[in-house]
């Protein structure tokens, strides 16, 4: 497996299969590898010691693209042409981000064609995939420069709540940047790997990964056993992070100086923002910060800073409580707490997390690097150097298909571990039905109209059979990257079809949360709605069976019997149009009671007829 190559430029021996780990962050990105000599995960550093590349892309009017530190100053001086937080746009539609439109200083376009957002810079349109690929290309270039060898294979991390579209988009961005993305893994899983968790197969642990970055917050509860990683639950806030801490300081200082708006003073605004971030970082290790701004001395103490940010920190603790609840765990069940993301260096954050989980937190691995380091560990596993481990993740929302009456039939429940698969059998509703429509939905509600459509396809070419006879097996398969594949197969004939479900656009995690809330608040209504729909479906089936029977066997029935059946059918038909489940059930029952004796009699006659050799064809007996 381990191939050796010679680097032509340096003449040195190289491992030809260098797989790097990449943390493609909202604010900062970086690359790590397993050091060939020390065998330890190591972030790749420039000569100046910096490993972090700000996830910022600037386009100048000559078509030059700058990425990282060089692009950062343009955030204030040339905001229309400077893209930050492209990760937030991955796999999103305009609809998805509309509520946060003001957050982005650049121009976001709703492209109707595929309903995914694009960013307009000058007269050029860029997809979030393009933008992320610029960052990845820069990371690749740096890695090649530092390692002095081509880098073509990578493991890239994504938040645990990223859906299929977002994961696929990340993969595509890698491809565009010339990287073969061997695996997409969840950030909290990567962080655990960096802490060496799960390396010992006998180890059983439940861990909380608290990740507070520049603009996002994620809490994930993972379980490790037998060298397997399982995400039990995730929660967080995609618009809460270190930037909010900076803003708290900015607002405090502006109030101190009696300023209420700096919108028209771009340069001052930038200076103040930089000073605030500096203050925050200094206050992580010191009690006091002072600087000069527009000729005035401004300062802040750690104590005031902590008072300012207390509500923000509290918000993250609320998310932790929800994640714990979702995982069905008590605080005492958590064995280890990992701190991830630059903002966890803030002492109040550490203290609050430690208090919440009632234990010391683990912060020994550099929180800026820990995700990339873990990606490198995973890369090493994929390179075949460490085969004892496997990764499992979860589905954030239930996945299912639409069945009769618009009901959601769940194949994979929410928080199912992935990779995973599930299959169920369905059948046709009508005689000689040759196609069956498979519509895939995501969500917790009982009716598909309240859930999110992911995609649909039709299984065609089912041989003509009476209703209920075909056996259509629908199979959901989620691969290790969390991408859903749906296949349908008619088992009697073998006709089958498979599609990769690539939803048109993603859900924000607020929406995921909203959907979960909706499913709770509407649970009662959903249950009665489901019962009503089921009663209606059953009633309709009864009607169609009876109708068919009457058409074929009218000659064998008396006039009274026919009119009795007809009026029972009418009564049921009417009941179905109403909202009363009990009425529908009662009328179905009545019709059944009336028609059953006729059916039995006709059956007897048919059998005796057949015995006499007259024959009534089988198919007339339904
Ligand atoms: P992301 O994962 O979102 O890309 P990072 O994990 O790199 O982000 O975190 C970036 C954030 O961490 C920024 O808001 C930055 O100001 C903050 N940060 C970095 N160092 C410190 C520090 N010493 N104290 C407080 N905050 C810090
Ligand atoms: Mg991060």
């Amino acid at each position: 497996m381990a191939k050796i190559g010679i680097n032509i430029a340096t003449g040195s021996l190289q491992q030809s299969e260098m797989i790097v780990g990449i943390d493609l962050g909202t604010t900062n990105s970086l690359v790590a590898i397993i050091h060939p000599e020390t065998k330890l995960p190591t972030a790749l550093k420039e000569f100046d010691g910096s490993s972090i590349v700000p996830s910022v892309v600037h386009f100048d009017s000559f078509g030059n693209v700058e990425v990282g530190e060089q692009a950062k100053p343009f955030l204030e001086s040339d905001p229309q042409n400077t893209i930050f937080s492209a990760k937030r746009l991955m796999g999103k539609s305009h609809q998805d981000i509309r509520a946060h439109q003001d957050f982005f200083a650049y121009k976001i376009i709703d492209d109707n064609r595929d309903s995914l957002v694009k960013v307009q810079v000058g007269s050029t349109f860029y997809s979030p995939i393009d933008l992320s690929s610029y960052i990845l290309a820069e990371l690749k270039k740096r890695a090649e420069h530092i390692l002095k060898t081509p880098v073509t294979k990578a493991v890239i991390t994504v938040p645990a709540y990223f859906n299929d579209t977002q994961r696929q988009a990340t993969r595509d961005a890698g491809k565009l940047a010339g990287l073969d993305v061997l695996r997409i893994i969840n950030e909290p899983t990567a962080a655990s790997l960096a802490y060496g968790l799960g390396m010992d197969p006998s180890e059983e642990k439940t861990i909380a990964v608290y990740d507070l970055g520049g603009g996002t917050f994620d809490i994930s509860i993972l379980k490790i056993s037998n060298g397997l990683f399982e995400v039990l639950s995730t929660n967080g806030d995609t618009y809460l992070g270190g930037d909010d801490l900076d803003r708290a300081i900015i607002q405090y200082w502006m109030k101190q100086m009696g300023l209420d708006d700096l919108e028209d003073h771009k340069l001052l605004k930038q200076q103040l923002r930089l000073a605030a971030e500096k203050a925050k970082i200094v206050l992580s290790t010191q009690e006091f910060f002072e600087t000069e701004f527009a000729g005035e001395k401004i300062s802040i103490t750690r104590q005031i800073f902590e008072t300012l940010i207390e509500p923000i920190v509290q918000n993250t603790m609320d998310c932790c409580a929800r994640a714990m609840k979702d995982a069905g765990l008590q605080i005492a069940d958590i064995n280890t707490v990992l701190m991830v993301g630059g903002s966890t260096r803030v002492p109040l954050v550490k203290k609050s997390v430690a208090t919440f989980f009632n234990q010391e937190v683990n912060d020994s691995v550099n929180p800026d690097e820990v995700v990339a380091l873990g990606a490198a560990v995973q890369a090493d596993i994929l390179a075949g150097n460490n085969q004892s481990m496997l990764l499992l993740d979860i589905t954030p929302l239930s996945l299912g298909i639409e069945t009769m009456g618009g009901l959601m039939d769940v194949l994979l429940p929410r928080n199912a571990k992935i990779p995973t698969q599930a299959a169920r059998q369905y059948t046709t509703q009508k005689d000689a039905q040759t196609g069956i429509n498979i519509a895939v939905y995501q969500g917790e509600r009982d009716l598909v109209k309240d859930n999110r459509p992911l995609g649909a396809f039709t299984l065609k070419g089912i041989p003509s059979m009476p209703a209920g006879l075909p056996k259509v097996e629908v199979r959901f398969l989620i691969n290790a990257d969390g991408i859903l594949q749906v296949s349908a197969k008619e088992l009697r004939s073998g006709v089958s079809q498979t599609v990769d479900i690539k939803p048109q656009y993603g859900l924000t995690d607020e929406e995921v949360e909203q959907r979960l809330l909706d499913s709770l608040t509407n649970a009662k209504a959903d249950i009665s709605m489901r019962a009503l729909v089921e009663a209606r479906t059953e009633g309709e089936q009864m009607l169609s069976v009876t109708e068919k029977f009457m058409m074929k066997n009218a000659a064998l029935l008396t006039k009274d019997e026919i009119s009795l059946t007809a009026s029972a059918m009418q009564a049921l038909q009417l009941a179905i149009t109403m909202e009363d489940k009990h009425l529908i059930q009662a009328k179905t029952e009545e019709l059944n009671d009336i028609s059953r004796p006729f059916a039995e009699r006709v059956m007897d006659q048919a059998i005796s007829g057949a015995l006499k050799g007259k024959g009534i064809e089988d198919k007339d007996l339904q």
Side-chain angles (χ1 to χ4, degrees):
M1 176 75 205
K3 292 180 204 142
I4 297 293
I6 296 172
N7 184 313
I8 309 173
T10 63
S12 63
L13 290 179
Q14 300 276 347
Q15 221 181 333
S16 63
E17 292 274 341
M18 177 60 82
I19 309 178
V20 300
I22 296 180
D23 172 6
L24 181 60
T26 309
T27 314
N28 296 309
S29 301
L30 70 154
V31 187
I33 56 157
I34 299 297
H35 196 282
E37 273 131 48
T38 64
K39 306 285 177 213
L40 292 173
T42 315
L44 294 182
K45 289 192 170 67
E46 292 287 343
F47 287 118
D48 64 4
S50 67
S51 60
I52 284 170
V53 178
S55 307
V56 181
V57 183
H58 175 251
F59 299 89
D60 74 10
S61 49
F62 307 104
N64 300 313
V65 185
E66 278 172 310
V67 178
E69 211 56 63
Q70 298 99 295
K72 233 178 144 180
F74 295 106
L75 282 172
E76 311 276 347
S77 64
D78 190 20
Q80 299 91 329
N81 300 317
T82 313
I83 316 302
F84 62 98
S85 278
K87 184 176 177 178
R88 292 178 192 282
L89 302 176
M90 290 293 258
K92 293 289 174 94
S93 74
H94 198 255
Q95 185 73 23
D96 291 330
I97 51 131
R98 206 159 56 183
H100 298 283
Q101 183 92 50
D102 292 346
F103 174 86
F104 303 94
Y106 44 86
K107 195 164 177 191
I108 297 177
I109 302 288
D110 185 8
D111 180 359
N112 287 328
R113 223 164 9 100
D114 52 9
S115 80
L116 291 173
V117 292
K118 290 240 163 104
V119 169
Q120 185 176 3
V121 179
S123 56
T124 316
F125 297 95
Y126 296 97
S127 72
I129 296 174
D130 297 329
L131 298 166
S132 294
S133 83
Y134 281 114
I135 298 167
L136 289 170
E138 173 72 20
L139 294 173
K140 173 172 150 53
K141 196 175 84 190
R142 278 175 171 238
E144 289 176 336
H145 180 74
I146 296 168
L147 295 170
K148 299 188 175 42
T149 181
V151 170
T152 57
K153 295 192 163 97
V155 169
I156 304 181
T157 59
V158 296
Y161 60 80
F162 254 31
N163 64 21
D164 301 349
T165 322
Q166 294 168 302
R167 284 165 201 265
Q168 192 63 48
T170 305
R171 210 172 246 290
D172 292 348
K175 210 183 289 169
L176 267 185
L179 289 169
D180 183 5
V181 182
L182 299 184
R183 184 67 69 88
I184 298 283
I185 66 165
N186 288 338
E187 288 160 11
T189 306
S192 313
L193 289 171
Y195 270 94
L197 294 168
M199 299 299 194
D200 171 6
S202 65
E203 174 183 67
E204 278 248 358
K205 269 195 161 167
T206 306
I207 62 176
V209 182
Y210 180 102
D211 182 349
L212 191 59
T216 58
F217 168 63
D218 299 307
I219 171 76
S220 314
I221 311 295
L222 313 188
K223 190 172 161 197
I224 304 175
S225 65
N226 304 319
L228 295 182
F229 284 72
E230 245 179 63
V231 183
L232 299 181
S233 68
T234 67
N235 211 292
D237 187 333
T238 38
Y239 287 87
L240 191 155
D243 299 342
D244 297 286
L245 308 184
D246 302 347
R247 262 193 293 278
I249 300 178
I250 294 169
Q251 277 159 13
Y252 169 73
W253 278 339
M254 284 180 58
K255 214 159 139 201
Q256 294 271 301
M257 292 183 285
L259 296 168
D260 44 44
D261 191 10
L262 280 178
E263 280 318 303
D264 298 331
H265 307 277
K266 288 248 144 61
L267 204 64
L268 284 180
K269 202 175 143 204
Q270 174 176 10
Q271 276 173 12
L272 197 59
R273 200 181 55 74
L274 289 175
E277 186 173 5
K278 178 125 182 272
K280 173 184 74 175
I281 289 170
V282 167
L283 291 177
S284 284
T285 50
Q286 290 163 37
E287 294 292 331
F288 182 69
F289 175 84
E290 189 177 46
T291 190
E292 220 164 81
F293 174 74
E296 263 188 74
K297 264 211 168 85
I298 49 172
S299 67
I300 184 166
T301 64
R302 164 130 18 123
Q303 207 189 350
I304 290 173
F305 175 58
E306 293 192 341
T307 317
L308 296 175
I309 64 167
E310 210 283 323
I312 299 171
V313 177
Q314 186 51 46
N315 270 345
T316 69
M317 302 330 304
D318 296 345
C319 293
C320 291
R322 284 196 288 269
M324 288 297 291
K325 190 158 169 253
D326 260 4
L329 296 177
Q330 304 298 318
I331 295 295
D333 298 329
I334 301 293
N335 307 116
T336 305
V337 181
L338 304 182
M339 299 300 264
V340 177
S343 303
T344 57
R345 288 212 178 84
V346 173
L348 179 69
V349 171
K350 266 188 224 182
K351 210 169 67 193
S352 307
V353 178
T355 307
F356 180 89
F357 287 103
N358 195 27
Q359 61 189 287
E360 297 240 321
V361 297
N362 287 45
D363 57 359
S364 56
V365 179
N366 181 332
D368 301 317
E369 295 178 352
V370 60
V371 169
L373 297 176
V377 173
Q378 172 66 21
D380 198 44
I381 297 171
L382 290 176
N385 302 332
N386 191 341
Q387 285 169 339
S388 64
M389 300 172 69
L390 209 109
L391 296 178
L392 288 182
D393 292 320
I394 54 147
T395 54
L397 290 170
S398 300
L399 294 163
I401 65 165
E402 174 174 1
T403 54
M404 277 180 296
L407 288 179
M408 170 89 173
D409 198 44
V410 171
L411 275 91
L412 286 173
R414 164 179 143 66
N415 283 353
K417 297 147 202 166
I418 61 172
T420 186
Q421 58 172 324
R424 275 182 90 118
Q425 282 188 15
Y426 299 90
T427 189
T428 49
Q429 269 177 284
K430 294 192 194 113
D431 288 341
Q433 189 178 328
T434 56
I436 185 164
N437 190 43
I438 313 286
V440 183
Y441 287 82
Q442 185 180 41
E444 309 311 310
R445 300 289 300 276
D446 272 357
L447 293 181
V448 291
K449 73 173 174 54
D450 299 320
N451 289 327
R452 172 170 176 250
L454 291 183
F457 67 99
T458 305
L459 176 67
K460 292 191 196 114
I462 300 173
S464 177
M465 284 182 254
L469 213 52
K471 281 190 185 167
V472 177
E473 182 184 80
V474 176
R475 181 172 293 275
F476 277 26
L477 188 123
I478 303 188
N479 68 15
D481 291 339
I483 290 169
L484 173 66
Q485 191 180 68
V486 177
S487 59
K489 182 175 186 184
E490 202 289 300
L491 297 175
R492 292 180 193 276
S493 58
V495 176
S496 73
Q497 195 175 337
T498 299
V499 292
D500 282 332
I501 296 290
K502 286 186 196 140
Q504 288 228 297
Y505 51 83
L507 281 182
T508 63
D509 52 343
E510 285 88 351
E511 281 171 301
V512 169
E513 204 168 283
Q514 191 54 48
R515 268 155 209 264
L516 292 176
L517 271 177
D518 284 354
S519 77
L520 289 178
T521 45
N522 293 303
K524 238 174 119 186
D526 271 8
I527 288 169
S528 54
M529 190 61 183
R530 178 178 274 273
L532 178 65
V533 170
E534 275 167 358
R536 277 185 182 149
T537 307
E538 209 175 304
E540 263 154 15
Q541 272 168 343
M542 184 70 212
L543 278 175
S544 114
V545 167
T546 315
E547 198 170 85
K548 235 186 288 175
F549 175 84
M550 297 297 286
M551 300 240 297
K552 285 174 184 153
N553 303 298
L556 301 172
L557 302 179
T558 67
K559 227 173 156 185
D560 278 356
E561 285 170 340
I562 291 175
S563 76
L564 203 61
T565 311
S567 66
M569 285 175 74
Q570 224 164 34
L572 175 56
Q573 202 114 49
L574 193 66
I576 286 172
T577 62
M578 292 185 275
E579 306 287 304
D580 185 348
K581 162 192 107 170
H582 297 289
L583 184 70
I584 301 172
Q585 281 168 339
K587 295 294 164 198
T588 307
E589 205 47 37
E590 266 175 48
L591 178 58
N592 192 35
D593 288 347
I594 289 172
S595 59
R596 198 188 312 114
F598 312 158
E600 281 164 6
R601 207 180 69 220
V602 169
M603 184 88 83
D604 289 345
Q605 288 180 2
I607 290 169
S608 63
L611 288 177
K612 281 180 207 152
K614 285 186 188 154
I616 295 173
E617 279 180 0
D618 264 357
K619 64 173 190 215
D620 289 343
L621 283 180
Q622 318 168 12

